[in-house]
Amino acid sequence: SMQCFPSLVLALSSLLGALALLQLSLYLRVPSRYGKHEERLCRPRGRLPARCAWFLQELPSFLVPALLLALRSPPRLEPLGCRLLCCLFCWHYFYRTFIYPFFTRGRPFPLQLLFFGTLFCIYNGFLQGYYLIYCAEYPNDWCTDIRFTSGLLLFLLGMGINIHSDLLLRQLRKPGEVTYKIPQGGLFTYVSGANYFGEIVEWFGFAIATWSLPAFAFAFFTLCCIGPRAYHHHRYYLKTFTDYPKSRKALIPFIF
Ligand code: NDX
């Protein structure tokens, strides 16, 4: 059966951190080309309906850790804290894979990005799952540690904001519609990237609760991936809608 190789965890986490920096440098100036930032003039590329694309892309982030967990010899959930943390990760990706895609009204997604997105989800799903199931060691009272409790709280709060904001975005369109409107309500009152803000809070909460290098690397990656995207969404709205709420920020309420 599998065992823990700490140097593998270190190497994969470092590469994730490096990919985060690469993303930051790529996407600070130009947004990643999907959704409202896809260039129409670009040479025509293959696309897949948003539904299939998000399902396929996010599935490995659910499947890989779930399989690792299932393959592990019993007692699978010992000690309680760390295996539960793996379930939190799977829980998010259960939502993202089996619920979010079936309700999305997004535009077709570029195949090329789908390919990289899928690779990323396999990579990250393996790293987080492998670490939590085979490497992580927590004291038996980790569930009452301030890092676990505060992290879990942030995770749940972020997930709530993320799911709620996804829902508000979806309700801006009727089925079949592909136009953009000004998001209203919830945290969109304060920021253009409310869904992204929720997701970032969620993964930093997860990092704090697991207190692990792979999870901090992933939280950092998330920040570098969708942080710039929130900024580009914000600029898009300001450019497109003259009546866009002036006090609204890009990503962090009242600040940025
Ligand atoms: N998927 C994470 N990098 C990404 C896909 C793209 O889960 O090559 C990262 C994720 C991938 C990325 C993923 C990894 C890095 C990649 C990147 C592509 C390039 C990049 C592979 C895997 C890369 C290197 C160089 C390192 C290899 O038509 P539409 O689609 O615009 O409709 C939208 C609609 N909407 C509106 N409707 C009406 N009026 C408006 N004003 C509207 N504004 C938006 O709402 C969509 O249907 C929907 C949401 O749109 P949007 O743009 O707000 O969110 P979106 O970016 O599509 O994300 C959806 C959710 C969201 O909750 C977000 O938090 C989460 O997924 N997410 C997204 C990306 C990454 C991520 C989470 C994470 O890092 N944790």
Side-chain angles (χ1 to χ4, degrees):
S1 99
M2 254 201 258
Q3 60 186 93
C4 177
F5 295 100
S7 50
L8 177 66
V9 172
L10 182 63
L12 293 180
S13 305
S14 310
L15 183 58
L16 190 55
L19 279 179
L21 291 175
L22 174 68
Q23 298 233 110
L24 199 60
S25 67
L26 283 177
Y27 298 128
L28 264 184
R29 293 179 59 215
V30 276
S32 45
R33 300 289 183 201
Y34 68 93
K36 55 171 76 68
H37 305 295
E38 191 172 352
E39 279 189 293
R40 308 223 176 138
L41 300 174
C42 237
R43 68 203 137 79
R45 280 176 298 189
R47 287 188 190 76
L48 214 62
R51 210 159 281 225
C52 314
W54 280 92
F55 176 79
L56 291 175
Q57 171 177 264
E58 309 290 319
L59 182 63
S61 276
F62 172 78
L63 222 51
V64 173
L67 278 178
L68 287 176
L69 198 57
L71 290 176
R72 191 193 151 93
S73 46
R76 280 188 197 103
L77 293 173
E78 293 281 296
L80 194 62
C82 65
R83 317 300 173 225
L84 274 185
L85 286 164
C86 184
C87 294
L88 281 188
F89 184 84
C90 291
W91 183 28
H92 170 91
Y93 281 101
F94 182 86
Y95 160 73
R96 185 66 74 219
T97 305
F98 296 103
I99 300 174
Y100 176 78
F102 295 96
F103 292 104
T104 181
R105 291 172 186 168
R107 298 161 52 175
F109 195 88
L111 273 176
Q112 201 184 0
L113 296 188
L114 170 67
F115 176 75
F116 287 118
T118 308
L119 282 186
F120 173 78
C121 288
I122 296 172
Y123 184 95
N124 190 49
F126 176 78
L127 174 58
Q128 307 301 329
Y130 176 74
Y131 174 81
L132 284 172
I133 296 166
Y134 292 97
C135 298
E137 279 173 34
Y138 296 99
N140 281 327
D141 59 354
W142 183 248
C143 294
T144 56
D145 190 289
I146 183 77
R147 285 164 289 184
F148 180 86
T149 48
S150 63
L152 180 63
L153 216 68
L154 276 181
F155 177 88
L156 295 174
L157 181 75
M159 191 174 191
I161 294 172
N162 180 251
I163 293 178
H164 180 230
S165 309
D166 279 345
L167 185 82
L168 292 173
L169 282 176
R170 182 169 64 86
Q171 288 170 344
L172 291 172
R173 290 175 177 169
K174 297 189 189 72
E177 236 183 349
V178 286
T179 52
Y180 292 106
K181 292 168 196 154
I182 301 181
Q184 306 284 2
L187 241 76
F188 284 109
T189 315
Y190 307 102
V191 288
S192 302
N195 52 340
Y196 295 153
F197 174 75
E199 181 110 14
I200 290 167
V201 168
E202 189 179 345
W203 293 120
F204 273 98
F206 182 72
I208 294 168
T210 59
W211 208 250
S212 72
L213 183 64
F216 273 104
F218 177 46
F220 180 59
F221 179 94
T222 300
L223 180 68
C224 295
C225 175
I226 58 185
R229 210 171 147 76
Y231 164 76
H232 290 293
H233 278 13
H234 190 64
R235 288 196 18 181
Y236 170 92
Y237 288 136
L238 289 173
K239 202 177 67 189
T240 311
F241 304 106
T242 49
D243 56 339
Y244 198 67
K246 290 283 171 295
S247 61
R248 203 178 285 190
K249 302 290 184 191
L251 180 65
I252 306 167
F254 310 114
I255 297 174
F256 171 74

